[in-house]
Amino acid sequence: MQKKVWITSMSREKKQITGLLNLTKKYGLAPDGHFWVDDLQKMAWQAPLENLLAKDTALWVISCTQKNLESESVRYGLSLLCLSLQHIKGIGFPILFVCPDESLKIEDLPTPFRGCDIIKSDNKSLAAKMTAKANTPVKKISTEYRINIHANQGYGIWFELGPAKGTTWNGVLAGGLTSEANAHGVGPKDSIPLKTILEYQMQGLKLESGKDHYTAWAVKNIIDENQSYYVRFTDIPGSILFGQLPDEEDEADFHLLTLV
C-alpha cells in the first residue's frame, strides 16, 4: 500500500505547496492535503481529521511560517486536531513542520506538538526525512492519562479526560488558564453522557502552577479506564490543568497541556 502524506498548508502560497506535492510524488509517496481555515465557531479544524485518521495516512506535514501561527485561534484549532488524531493513532504518530526559515522553534509550539520535528523547506534532506517518517512504524508512547476531543457546532468543544489503562483516579479536577469551565459530566469513555451523576461537584477552585493561575471544576466520582470526565470551557482555555483530585494528605500531581 502506498503511504499517504497529508499536507496542511497554513498559507495559500502556491509555490510552497506545489513544491511539497511534487517532492512527495517524486519519492513514491501519495500527497494530499488542504488549506487551513481559521474558524473555531464552525469547527473548521475538524475538516482534515477523517483523512488524517485514514489507515494509509502515514505522515502529517504542516507547511507554515512562525507568523502563520501567531493567532491564538489557529494554534488552538491545530491543538484540537492534533489531540483528536493522537487519541486514535497515538502521540508517536509523525508530524513534520516544514518552514521557509528557522524562526519556528519546538519550544514555542503547543504541548501536543512537542514531539514533532521542524525542517526548512529548502533542506536537501526534506524528501528523505518525509520518506523515512512515513515508512517507520509509529512508536508506542505511553502517558499517565487519556485525552480526547468531542466537538460540533451544537454542543461545543468538550475535553474527555481519564487515567491510563489499569489505573484509577479517586476524583478528578480540570481547570483552564484563560477560560473557566461551564459544564461537566462523568460517563462511559468515548461518548459524552446524556445523563450524569456527579458526586460532590465543586466549581471555581483556584490553583497555581508557577506564575499561572487556573480556575477549576471537580467531582469526587471514581474515574477508571472505562469511565471519563467530560468538561467544556466558556472560551479558549489557553492551557488546561487536570488529573486526580488530591485529598488533604496527598500532594497535588496534575497534568498540564499548553494549547495555544
Side-chain angles (χ1 to χ4, degrees):
M1 180 185 295
Q2 191 176 26
K3 301 290 186 179
K4 179 188 285 187
V5 176
W6 184 264
I7 301 171
T8 294
S9 178
M10 305 306 293
S11 73
R12 294 184 177 270
E13 186 175 336
K14 292 183 178 180
K15 182 179 179 180
Q16 175 80 356
I17 194 67
T18 300
L20 272 175
L21 290 171
N22 291 337
L23 193 62
T24 52
K25 289 178 182 177
K26 182 178 179 181
Y27 282 79
L29 300 170
D32 201 351
H34 76 134
F35 291 105
W36 185 262
V37 177
D38 181 20
D39 193 335
L40 288 176
Q41 186 174 0
K42 293 184 178 180
M43 308 293 176
W45 57 269
Q46 288 183 312
L49 181 57
E50 184 177 351
N51 289 286
L52 284 167
L53 293 178
K55 187 176 181 180
D56 57 346
T57 300
L59 172 64
W60 183 17
V61 171
I62 301 174
S63 174
C64 69
T65 64
Q66 185 183 45
K67 187 175 180 61
N68 294 147
L69 303 181
E70 286 181 351
S71 170
E72 186 180 69
S73 59
V74 167
R75 294 165 71 88
Y76 187 50
L78 280 171
S79 291
L80 294 173
L81 177 58
C82 188
L83 289 172
S84 300
L85 169 65
Q86 290 174 342
H87 174 69
I88 301 298
K89 290 196 169 183
I91 63 174
F93 183 81
I95 301 171
L96 183 64
F97 282 81
V98 178
C99 309
D101 55 39
E102 297 179 341
S103 60
L104 186 63
K105 307 297 181 184
I106 290 291
E107 57 268 25
D108 297 327
L109 293 172
T111 305
F113 294 101
R114 293 294 171 85
C116 73
D117 289 322
I118 300 175
I119 188 170
K120 285 188 65 179
S121 53
D122 62 357
N123 192 309
K124 293 182 179 179
S125 66
L126 174 58
K129 197 172 189 70
M130 288 194 296
T131 303
K133 284 185 170 294
N135 287 283
T136 301
V138 176
K139 183 179 179 180
K140 291 186 177 181
I141 302 173
S142 61
T143 62
E144 296 178 346
Y145 59 85
R146 292 181 284 109
I147 183 168
N148 192 18
I149 306 297
H150 301 268
N152 72 29
Q153 294 182 53
Y155 57 68
I157 297 168
W158 287 77
F159 289 79
E160 178 186 355
L161 307 168
K165 186 176 181 179
T167 58
T168 299
W169 288 348
N170 296 312
V172 59
L173 172 152
L177 177 62
T178 57
S179 176
E180 187 175 348
N182 64 1
H184 63 172
V186 172
K189 67 177 182 180
D190 298 330
S191 179
I192 300 173
L194 297 177
K195 296 181 179 180
T196 186
I197 297 176
L198 300 177
E199 300 178 10
Y200 303 100
Q201 63 172 315
M202 293 161 272
Q203 300 177 6
L205 301 176
K206 302 299 181 181
L207 302 169
E208 293 184 12
S209 178
K211 296 181 180 180
D212 294 327
H213 298 267
Y214 292 78
T215 302
W217 284 20
V219 294
K220 290 190 175 181
N221 297 60
I222 302 297
I223 309 295
D224 58 23
E225 63 184 77
N226 297 310
Q227 293 284 307
S228 295
Y229 179 59
Y230 298 85
V231 60
R232 185 182 65 190
F233 296 94
T234 56
D235 203 348
I236 299 174
S239 299
I240 59 170
L241 180 150
F242 62 95
Q244 179 171 257
L245 183 67
D247 57 31
E248 295 179 357
E249 297 180 357
D250 294 331
E251 184 177 344
D253 183 19
F254 298 124
H255 307 289
L256 177 61
L257 297 183
T258 301
L259 301 175
V260 299

